[in-house]
Amino acid sequence: MDTTPAQAARQELTGFKGQLIGPDDSGYAEARTVYNAMIDRRPALVARCTGPEDVARVVGFARDHGLPLAVRGGGHHGAGLGTCDDGVVIDLSPLKDVEVDPEARTVRVGGGCLLGEVDRATHEHGMATPSGIISTTGVGGITLGGGIGHLTRKCGLTIDNLLEAELVLASGEKVRASADENADLHWAIRGGGGNFGVVTSFLFRLHEVSTVVAGPTFWPVELGAEVLSAYRDFLPKAPRELNGFFLFASVPPGPPFPEEIHLRKVCGVVWCRVGDDAEAAAAEMAPLLDALPAPLVHGPAPMPHPAIQSAFDGIYPPGDQWYWRADFVNEIPDGAVALHARFGAEMPTWKSTMHMYPIDCAVHDHAPGDTAWSYRDSRWASVFAGVDPDPANAEIIKRWSVDYSEALHPFSAGGAYVNMMMDEGQERVRASYRDNYARLARIKAAYDPGNLFRLNQNIEPATPALA
């Protein structure tokens, strides 16, 4: 009988301290599951690693056996790039250490941490580092792709606050990447995704963020064009302390929303204003509200920063069907507004949504070549997400997302935020890195010449002739 990869791993990975799970093990069904239930892959081995030494052993095992290798932090990626069929999954979930240094204003985070775990630890010291908007998301994936969220306008992308990282390379070597050590690698991992190694630890800069004024303002979806037009003119002029992303959504069927508007389709803004000054926040939001009819709901209020960070968790638990597309946007002309209003009104399920995240202010403090994340000159990142718990609706939500994104793509900047892309091909990856792609390919050739880390938005190693 042929030896399975799981059996071979148990024989060969001497000194491995974590857990090796194969298809015949009782915990396999749970171990192979990722956030998006549309992804149903069956890896030959899931290796839950306890630290860099475990990771290095598994990297070497996959490399030496010629097996596909996926790396999973939180497992949220829409395309399921944290898992694979018939290969090896490095599961970083045991790497949960969070160490806050209040004096240095830094936090060191294990590669398996979730955003909420970091938010809670830093909040105890009245600080935060910018990240995403669903607290069950893995720190590793969102960071390596860029990191857009509620604090973007004030504090920048997550990668703008990444001071250093510890990685395991394709060779099994353990290295540190910072401005002073392996600076080329530090440049590449700030937006270049998981192409260059397995990050086992991150060191982030912290900002004084404790209480925020946050919450949604919703208008009827029929006002979509009017609200979006007003928003596109208002938001770029707002102070950088005020973040607000535009969305089409349906009102969640529960508190704090009035029962009479539960499941009603709406458009609106989800606000997050840094600081506890509700009067200042109201004054900053006023120009938008004054330009529009009275909203159905206007809910911004002072709250702890982790509260807004986790506000979407209950709406989007693991196990839903997801299909999303994305684009960067420089301008939102009237033609784009009309299309948004049309597709927003046609959301096929109550969990389906479109978000348009602002990426100006602090993001624009950096040049496109300062990090691998090249779209510093764009104004918004849009995502079109079809979501529903019922597998029977998978094709419906996919079709809406694809049709919506393809209709709006002619108005886009060309590329997309890699964390919100599906598996859309190499041309799309190149478009999303633009002029930075060639440099990324050279760095890839230096650190992963065999493209072991290819189950991602892949950057192919430069050939010698091109390097």
Side-chain angles (χ1 to χ4, degrees), residues 423-443:
D423 191 359
E424 300 171 35
Q426 194 63 22
E427 183 177 340
R428 184 76 161 139
V429 174
R430 286 177 175 268
S432 297
Y433 288 112
R434 298 193 297 184
D435 294 344
N436 288 340
Y437 187 88
R439 182 179 176 186
L440 284 164
R442 292 193 295 270
I443 297 171

Side-chain angles (χ1 to χ4, degrees), residues 90-361:
I90 290 179
D91 182 349
L92 297 175
S93 59
L95 277 67
K96 292 288 193 183
D97 290 346
V98 181
E99 301 174 10
V100 180
D101 186 334
E103 293 186 4
R105 295 191 178 188
T106 60
V107 59
R108 190 172 296 278
V109 177
C113 284
L114 306 182
L115 301 187
E117 294 163 344
V118 179
D119 291 335
R120 288 189 291 273
T122 58
H123 184 69
E124 291 180 6
H125 302 275
M127 291 185 280
T129 197
S131 57
I133 68 161
I134 296 179
S135 77
T136 59
T137 306
V139 170
I142 196 168
T143 298
L144 297 175
I148 301 171
H150 294 299
L151 301 180
T152 300
R153 300 186 82 232
K154 173 66 174 176
C155 303
L157 304 168
T158 307
I159 55 171
D160 298 336
N161 298 275
L162 177 60
L163 302 175
E164 67 177 46
E166 295 177 355
L167 297 89
V168 176
L169 304 179
S171 64
E173 181 185 1
K174 294 176 283 295
V175 301
R176 178 177 287 107
S178 68
D180 302 318
E181 191 172 355
N182 297 305
D184 57 343
L185 184 59
H186 184 235
W187 179 89
I189 64 173
R190 288 180 292 159
N195 276 282
F196 305 95
V198 183
V199 180
T200 56
S201 175
F202 299 88
L203 182 69
F204 295 108
R205 178 187 299 111
L206 292 174
H207 301 261
E208 290 188 5
V209 178
S210 181
T211 300
V212 296
V213 179
T217 303
F218 290 152
W219 287 269
V221 75
E222 293 80 11
L223 295 179
E226 185 176 355
V227 175
L228 180 53
S229 295
Y231 169 84
R232 83 176 167 197
D233 297 334
F234 159 80
L235 200 280
K237 301 172 186 175
R240 62 174 58 195
E241 286 77 15
L242 182 65
N243 200 93
F245 68 83
F246 179 88
L247 84 168
F248 286 107
S250 297
V251 178
F257 302 104
E259 187 173 354
E260 61 268 21
I261 63 169
H262 285 180
L263 298 180
R264 182 168 175 176
K265 290 182 180 180
V266 293
C267 61
V269 180
V270 176
W271 304 99
C272 181
R273 199 268 185 186
V274 176
D276 60 2
D277 191 335
E279 290 187 7
E284 291 167 5
M285 298 171 191
L288 179 66
L289 287 131
D290 291 347
L292 292 166
L296 295 170
V297 170
H298 181 60
M303 65 182 66
H305 174 249
I308 188 63
Q309 286 289 94
S310 59
F312 285 88
D313 292 5
I315 303 171
Y316 297 116
D320 284 343
Q321 306 278 314
W322 283 78
Y323 194 91
W324 54 26
R325 288 287 183 89
D327 266 319
F328 287 122
V329 177
N330 294 336
E331 304 292 341
I332 311 173
D334 290 346
V337 168
L339 287 169
H340 275 295
R342 172 191 150 196
F343 281 97
E346 295 174 355
M347 287 179 290
T349 61
W350 83 263
K351 290 193 179 188
S352 295
T353 188
M354 191 286 295
H355 293 181
M356 189 169 292
Y357 302 102
I359 50 173
D360 55 354
C361 295

